Amino acid sequence: MRLMAGGTSRLRLICCGAVLWAFVTQATPTSHGDRMAQAHTLLTQVLAQRMVPKANGAMGRNRAGYFHVRFQMGMHHLVDHGLASQDPKAILKFVKAAEYALRHQLPDGDFQLTRPAKLAGLGQASPADRASGVAFFTYSLGVGLHALHHSAWWQSCQACAPLRTRVVMLTQQLQPTLVFLLKQEGRLMAADRNAPNRLLFNGLAFYSLSQLLDSEPAAAAAHRFIQQATQQVHVDGYFIEGGGFDSSYNGVASALCLRLVLMGYPEPNLVAVCDRALTWQIQRILPSGEIDSRGNSRVRTDGTGEAFLGRSKDVDAAHTIEALLLFAVLNRNPVTVSLAQQVLQHYRNKR
């Protein structure tokens, strides 16, 4: 791995193949949670602050009244920060968010959907939409639980003992949802087969459940989704979205890919895929820290891109920051932390 400071003082990351990952292969292997304990706390704090739930555990669009568990996605950032800062209060917020979501779990493992009246004109959610929302939620909950299960500090923290009991209960409650998601695999694959970021969300949901619940069927499903995603990588390195490149969704896919590596997903080629995707993503970060959206296939800042629930999508800077953070964690090398801070500063200044 080489670093070059350009005339604008922006860090550029130059790599060829596995060179970018030299530090990874030389580092002493550690577990998911223990590695997150080494993360840069400023960045984990910023990512976690965006996900702090209300006192009842509601997050995002659920804060005004329960909508769907899909909007609890992102709770794993609370665990990341809790582990990095050894702060049981951050873990408590994660637990509350998960408990709030699971109070809306149906007997078959699906979750209630309560559409706000102001969105009635958008039509009904399809079965694939509902299944995808559950997968999004399960990915984030599963990643957070997996990190806790693989953290020496969490397992020995005396102040965390009551929370550990609640975490065990949360894990057990996921069994019906695993059954539900396994039944939805075909529907999810049909809906998401050409969207690598969604395939990786699904793959992470199944992989985390396979680890937490010791499920071979979940592990096999995870492999199918991840394989489908990693087959859709352009020669330039980015994950192909909508037939082209997209600097928003490639940032998402890069973060998900790196999280799989961090969790020990047993696929050697995944490291090279992450390498190439993140390298391409870095090339889309302007000297100002802005993520260049020109030419994107799906998300654009000029109002011509995709919308979600009636609102144009913004470039997902948070996932690019997460990807840069995870790369630094995996490498035990802070080089991409500086670049993540540049991205963070740009989007903070835009508020």
Side-chain angles (χ1 to χ4, degrees), residues 155-174:
Q155 298 299 335
S156 62
C157 168
Q158 292 186 357
C160 300
L163 286 175
R164 282 197 293 272
T165 299
R166 291 163 74 176
V167 163
V168 169
M169 294 177 64
L170 288 172
T171 304
Q172 293 171 344
Q173 285 179 269
L174 284 173

Side-chain angles (χ1 to χ4, degrees), residues 15-182:
C15 78
C16 295
V19 175
L20 182 59
W21 289 86
F23 288 101
V24 177
T25 57
Q26 293 169 7
T28 302
T30 54
S31 64
H32 181 192
D34 290 337
R35 277 180 157 166
M36 289 312 303
Q38 303 166 1
H40 192 282
T41 54
L42 171 62
L43 293 176
T44 60
Q45 182 180 32
V46 168
L47 292 171
Q49 283 175 339
R50 300 171 59 251
M51 303 300 166
V52 172
K54 291 177 63 176
N56 68 350
M59 294 170 55
R61 290 175 181 259
N62 291 327
R63 296 175 71 88
Y66 176 78
F67 186 168
H68 192 254
V69 292
R70 184 250 184 272
F71 303 106
Q72 298 295 108
M73 188 177 74
M75 65 177 67
H76 64 281
H77 289 301
L78 297 164
V79 171
D80 288 347
H81 185 59
L83 296 178
S85 59
Q86 295 192 356
D87 181 6
K89 291 181 181 178
I91 310 297
L92 173 60
K93 292 171 184 175
F94 165 79
V95 170
K96 284 185 174 182
E99 290 174 340
Y100 169 85
L102 286 165
R103 285 198 291 273
H104 298 87
Q105 187 183 43
L106 298 171
D108 67 349
D110 193 2
F111 286 83
Q112 296 171 3
L113 171 66
T114 306
R115 182 183 292 273
K118 65 181 180 180
L119 297 178
L122 296 178
Q124 296 298 314
S126 70
D129 290 333
R130 293 190 61 154
S132 185
V134 173
F136 279 142
F137 158 71
T138 307
Y139 132 77
S140 190
L141 177 56
V143 165
L145 291 173
H146 187 275
L148 291 176
H149 280 272
H150 293 82
S151 163
W153 168 77
W154 165 254
Q155 298 299 335
S156 62
C157 168
Q158 292 186 357
C160 300
L163 286 175
R164 282 197 293 272
T165 299
R166 291 163 74 176
V167 163
V168 169
M169 294 177 64
L170 288 172
T171 304
Q172 293 171 344
Q173 285 179 269
L174 284 173
Q175 185 64 51
T177 294
L178 171 57
V179 173
F180 169 78
L181 285 174
L182 286 170

Side-chain angles (χ1 to χ4, degrees), residues 88-333:
K89 291 181 181 178
I91 310 297
L92 173 60
K93 292 171 184 175
F94 165 79
V95 170
K96 284 185 174 182
E99 290 174 340
Y100 169 85
L102 286 165
R103 285 198 291 273
H104 298 87
Q105 187 183 43
L106 298 171
D108 67 349
D110 193 2
F111 286 83
Q112 296 171 3
L113 171 66
T114 306
R115 182 183 292 273
K118 65 181 180 180
L119 297 178
L122 296 178
Q124 296 298 314
S126 70
D129 290 333
R130 293 190 61 154
S132 185
V134 173
F136 279 142
F137 158 71
T138 307
Y139 132 77
S140 190
L141 177 56
V143 165
L145 291 173
H146 187 275
L148 291 176
H149 280 272
H150 293 82
S151 163
W153 168 77
W154 165 254
Q155 298 299 335
S156 62
C157 168
Q158 292 186 357
C160 300
L163 286 175
R164 282 197 293 272
T165 299
R166 291 163 74 176
V167 163
V168 169
M169 294 177 64
L170 288 172
T171 304
Q172 293 171 344
Q173 285 179 269
L174 284 173
Q175 185 64 51
T177 294
L178 171 57
V179 173
F180 169 78
L181 285 174
L182 286 170
K183 291 179 180 178
Q184 300 299 315
E185 181 185 350
R187 180 171 279 142
L188 288 168
M189 184 64 80
D192 300 339
R193 64 181 305 108
N194 294 319
N197 81 93
R198 296 174 73 96
L199 292 166
L200 290 172
F201 277 124
N202 298 337
L204 267 163
F206 280 111
Y207 182 63
S208 60
L209 290 177
S210 77
Q211 299 297 294
L212 293 166
L213 301 175
D214 192 23
S215 169
E216 286 296 328
H223 175 73
R224 288 187 284 271
F225 281 107
I226 295 165
Q227 185 177 52
Q228 179 69 13
T230 55
Q231 289 174 349
Q232 299 181 69
V233 178
H234 191 271
V235 66
D236 289 340
Y238 59 82
F239 284 92
I240 301 168
E241 291 278 351
F245 66 79
D246 192 284
S247 60
S248 183
Y249 279 108
N250 187 72
V252 176
S254 296
L256 300 177
C257 185
L258 287 161
R259 185 69 70 166
L260 281 164
V261 173
L262 185 62
M263 293 171 66
Y265 182 75
E267 174 50 65
N269 291 336
L270 194 65
V271 167
V273 172
C274 295
D275 175 346
R276 296 170 61 205
L278 182 62
T279 300
W280 184 89
Q281 188 69 17
I282 287 171
Q283 293 168 352
R284 301 296 293 180
I285 299 174
L286 301 175
S288 64
E290 180 181 5
I291 299 169
D292 189 355
S293 65
R294 291 173 297 179
N296 275 2
S297 58
R298 297 184 62 186
V299 179
R300 295 182 287 274
T301 57
D302 61 2
T304 63
E306 293 182 357
F308 177 62
L309 295 179
R311 182 180 180 276
S312 295
K313 292 181 180 179
D314 297 320
V315 171
D316 190 336
H319 269 103
T320 289
I321 292 170
E322 182 180 1
L324 294 166
L325 171 67
L326 294 180
F327 178 82
V329 167
L330 283 161
N331 274 281
R332 297 190 177 185
N333 185 299

